Amino acid sequence: MNKIPYQIYLILILTFCISNTSPPKNFEFNQSTIQTFYFIKEVEIDGLKLSEKDWIASFNGDVCTGTRQWAGPFTDVPAMGDDGSKYTKGYHIPGSKPIFKIYDYSTDRLFLANPDTNILFGNSPAQIININKLSVTKDCLGTLGGSARVDSCNVCNGNSSSCDKINSQNQY
């Protein structure tokens, strides 16, 4: 009789550990022969540090190209390149710019993160790039991790078309 509770306890622990190490939804990717690793020193969401239950992923548009659970400073986040196989279609090509997204475990939310440096995907089979800081901040609309930006006409989430109207009005 003593063995049954122990076995159940062991199964519960293993289940918890396995479920805790699985990447979040949409953070799955395929291995490629062309890879870049981004070693990230620090990550913040609105000024708060990540926990070890949070995840970081690289994307090319909407395609996940690599993911890693946050393990502290210098966590390596892979970004896979398009090596011509059907498994890497839509992955990075030389000169593309990875997008980083963070899954915050405590809020069960996904955020767009901004690196503090230029992070273009390389043109060799394997590269290492250091990023000092990834930050999730509020956009010009006040949305945490949002993508709204001020356009060239100084309009939040604009498309730079209002400049022509202002300029044409000033010409008369």
Side-chain angles (χ1 to χ4, degrees):
M1 282 298 226
N2 290 341
K3 289 184 180 181
I4 293 173
Y6 174 75
Q7 291 170 339
I8 292 172
Y9 179 70
L10 185 60
I11 290 170
L12 288 173
I13 289 174
L14 288 173
T15 302
F16 176 76
C17 291
I18 290 169
S19 67
N20 221 17
T21 58
S22 298
K25 184 180 178 185
N26 300 322
F27 271 36
E28 294 85 18
F29 68 99
N30 294 314
Q31 196 75 20
S32 171
T33 59
I34 301 171
Q35 306 174 2
T36 296
F37 288 88
Y38 296 92
F39 282 80
I40 302 172
K41 184 176 180 182
E42 183 180 356
V43 184
E44 292 182 349
I45 299 175
D46 203 22
L48 301 174
K49 307 278 185 210
L50 291 190
S51 80
E52 292 186 358
K53 293 183 178 181
D54 298 328
W55 289 77
I56 304 171
S58 61
F59 282 79
N60 187 29
D62 291 332
V63 178
C64 183
T65 62
T67 186
R68 196 72 84 215
Q69 191 166 14
W70 179 247
F74 300 105
T75 295
D76 66 315
V77 178
M80 300 294 153
D82 186 336
D83 63 10
S85 74
K86 66 181 180 180
Y87 302 106
T88 61
K89 185 177 180 184
Y91 282 20
H92 296 285
I93 58 171
S96 66
K97 186 174 181 180
I99 297 168
F100 290 95
K101 295 182 183 180
I102 298 173
Y103 171 75
D104 182 6
Y105 178 84
S106 65
T107 62
D108 192 31
R109 291 183 60 199
L110 188 65
F111 296 103
L112 181 64
N114 299 307
D116 68 345
T117 187
N118 191 6
I119 53 160
L120 298 179
F121 190 81
N123 58 4
S124 65
Q127 285 195 316
I128 294 174
I129 297 174
N130 292 318
I131 296 176
N132 286 322
K133 189 173 186 179
L134 275 179
S135 301
V136 176
T137 57
K138 293 180 181 171
D139 66 9
C140 62
L141 293 174
T143 304
L144 186 61
S147 60
R149 301 288 179 253
V150 176
D151 70 4
S152 61
C153 302
N154 206 26
V155 174
C156 178
N157 211 25
N159 61 7
S160 297
S161 64
S162 61
C163 296
D164 295 334
K165 292 176 186 174
I166 294 170
N167 289 337
S168 63
Q169 289 174 353
N170 290 339
Q171 290 178 357
Y172 295 108

